[in-house]
Amino acid sequence: MLRTLFAIRTSDPDQYFRGMLLKGITLILGLGSLLDMLLVAIQNPQSAIFWGTLVGSIAACIVFGLAHLGRINVGAIILAITFLAITCIVVPNENLIYSPIILIFLFPILIVGLTIDATASALFGSLTVIVLGILLLVSYIPQNSWSLLAILLLTITTTFLWLVLFTLERGRNQARKQAHDLQAAQNVILAREDDLQATNQQMQKKNADLEHVLELVNQLETPIIPLTDESLIVPLVGHLDTRRIEHIREMVLATVYQSHARFVLIDLTGIAIIDTGVISRLNHIIKCIHLLGTEVLLTGIRADTAITMTTLGIDFADVWTSANLSDGVRHVLRQVAV
């Protein structure tokens, strides 16, 4: 019930706060006016105070409804003007600007300033001073030295109120701007984190694809072909660098160990350039294969390859060699058939 009563039809937090403030002020003034009206009605129901409090009560109900609908500015102006008019009508003209009654004129200015803004407070304060000045000129208010001083003091007080409200409003706006900038910075950071996360995921996917491609390339660049259940063919193609030699050694030794092959035929036909470094590493692979108890056949040996081997003094006495792959295949098949 209370939540419905004090609800404000707006999604703006600032508008909601000002609406709640206006409802609170309206409720206090409305209940006060209603109580005064009941008290006056008992004593003198035809007096100006009775009609003034009645109008104030009706205006409070109207403004409360406007605040509920989110019409804060309109409601605040209506309430302030009603309060100012009732004050001028109810209070006797000879006492209108005498202390402490003159302080009553500050309440409408505060209502407008708190529920609208400092500029509205200054405008309404100026309007109040102008109204009192007009009443003084038309002799509705007695003209004397105190009346002029009272209006001057009201002007100074109104200016001071505007300055206080303006300072508070500026501080509030700066705080909101800082909060907005901070939220914007946080949104930028979150967006960058999302971008970095997406980029990281893309890089991980690319790395996984690259690793898959490299694995496929390694398998394709060093194929090991089963010739029989006991023999393997290792055709070497392209350029043999240190990385490829190491990979070939690991692949061949692992396959020979797992398959228990008796023969490994290494074909050099597809090698473009065979230098001393390649022959030395190849000799190391052959020795490793021999240690596993497997016989090695070396085919595809060209004339320049034979010269390089002889120059290095590498002894391939335990290796069956041939210039072409077909001779090596036939030799292996004969040995397997024995």
Side-chain angles (χ1 to χ4, degrees):
M1 180 65 181
L2 291 176
R3 180 177 297 181
T4 304
L5 183 64
F6 285 95
I8 306 296
R9 294 184 182 178
T10 179
S11 59
D12 185 2
D14 180 63
Q15 190 81 350
Y16 179 82
F17 173 76
R18 293 191 296 114
M20 290 295 295
L21 182 61
L22 181 59
K23 275 191 173 184
I25 295 173
T26 303
L27 190 61
I28 294 172
L29 293 179
L31 292 177
S33 299
L34 182 61
L35 182 60
D36 289 341
M37 182 184 66
L38 294 176
L39 293 175
V40 173
I42 297 174
Q43 299 175 357
N44 188 8
Q46 301 299 323
S47 65
I49 298 178
F50 173 80
W51 293 108
T53 53
L54 176 61
V55 172
S57 301
I58 297 174
C61 295
I62 295 174
V63 173
F64 193 91
L66 291 173
H68 185 79
L69 297 175
R71 306 297 297 273
I72 312 301
N73 295 348
V74 176
I77 292 174
I78 291 176
L79 184 63
I81 292 176
T82 304
F83 194 91
L84 180 62
I86 292 175
T87 301
C88 293
I89 294 173
V90 171
V91 178
N93 57 344
E94 63 272 10
N95 298 326
L96 194 58
I97 59 174
Y98 287 91
S99 179
I101 296 177
I102 193 172
L103 297 178
I104 297 177
F105 292 103
L106 297 178
F107 287 102
I109 301 172
L110 278 174
I111 292 172
V112 173
L114 292 175
T115 55
I116 301 180
D117 55 22
T119 303
S121 175
L123 293 176
F124 198 84
S126 302
L127 176 63
T128 302
V129 173
I130 292 173
V131 169
L132 292 178
I134 294 174
L135 294 177
L136 186 63
L137 289 177
V138 299
S139 299
Y140 182 81
I141 300 175
Q143 298 184 9
N144 51 47
S145 58
W146 167 250
S147 59
L148 296 176
L149 180 60
I151 293 178
L152 178 61
L153 291 175
L154 181 62
T155 303
I156 296 173
T157 307
T158 301
T159 305
F160 177 75
L161 286 176
W162 168 81
L163 183 61
V164 171
L165 293 172
F166 176 77
T167 303
L168 293 175
E169 186 176 323
R170 184 174 61 178
R172 181 191 62 185
N173 292 336
Q174 289 177 352
R176 288 178 178 174
K177 184 178 183 302
Q178 292 176 356
H180 180 270
D181 294 341
L182 180 60
Q183 184 64 40
Q186 291 178 348
N187 292 336
V188 171
I189 292 175
L190 292 176
R192 290 181 178 178
E193 288 180 353
D194 293 339
D195 293 340
L196 289 175
Q197 186 175 2
T199 303
N200 186 32
Q201 292 177 351
Q202 292 177 358
M203 291 181 64
Q204 290 179 353
K205 184 177 182 301
K206 290 181 179 180
N207 290 336
D209 294 341
L210 182 60
E211 290 178 358
H212 177 71
V213 171
L214 289 176
E215 182 179 356
L216 180 62
V217 169
N218 290 332
Q219 293 175 357
L220 293 177
E221 69 179 2
T222 312
I224 299 178
I225 305 171
L227 181 60
T228 65
D229 292 340
E230 299 178 339
S231 59
L232 303 172
I233 298 178
V234 183
L236 302 181
V237 181
H239 175 70
L240 293 180
D241 54 13
T242 303
R243 183 192 65 81
R244 283 198 65 196
I245 288 291
E246 294 294 330
H247 181 69
I248 290 171
R249 184 187 65 181
E250 294 176 0
M251 291 283 293
V252 172
L253 292 178
T255 305
V256 169
Y257 179 78
Q258 293 174 0
S259 63
H260 304 286
R262 290 174 53 198
F263 303 96
V264 174
L265 195 157
I266 300 176
D267 182 59
L268 305 178
T269 305
I271 301 298
I273 300 176
I274 301 179
D275 54 15
T276 57
V278 173
I279 293 177
S280 298
R281 295 187 182 93
L282 186 61
N283 183 40
H284 176 69
I285 294 175
I286 292 173
K287 290 181 179 180
C288 292
I289 296 174
H290 278 160
L291 290 176
L292 296 177
T294 302
E295 182 179 345
V296 178
L297 294 84
L298 196 61
T299 63
I301 300 176
R302 300 191 299 268
D304 56 344
T305 304
I307 295 173
T308 303
M309 291 179 177
T310 304
T311 303
L312 292 176
I314 297 176
D315 185 9
F316 284 105
D318 297 334
V319 180
W320 190 93
T321 58
S322 175
N324 54 73
L325 176 62
S326 59
D327 292 341
V329 172
R330 284 193 292 269
H331 177 78
V332 170
L333 293 177
R334 285 195 299 269
Q335 294 295 322
V336 172
V338 174

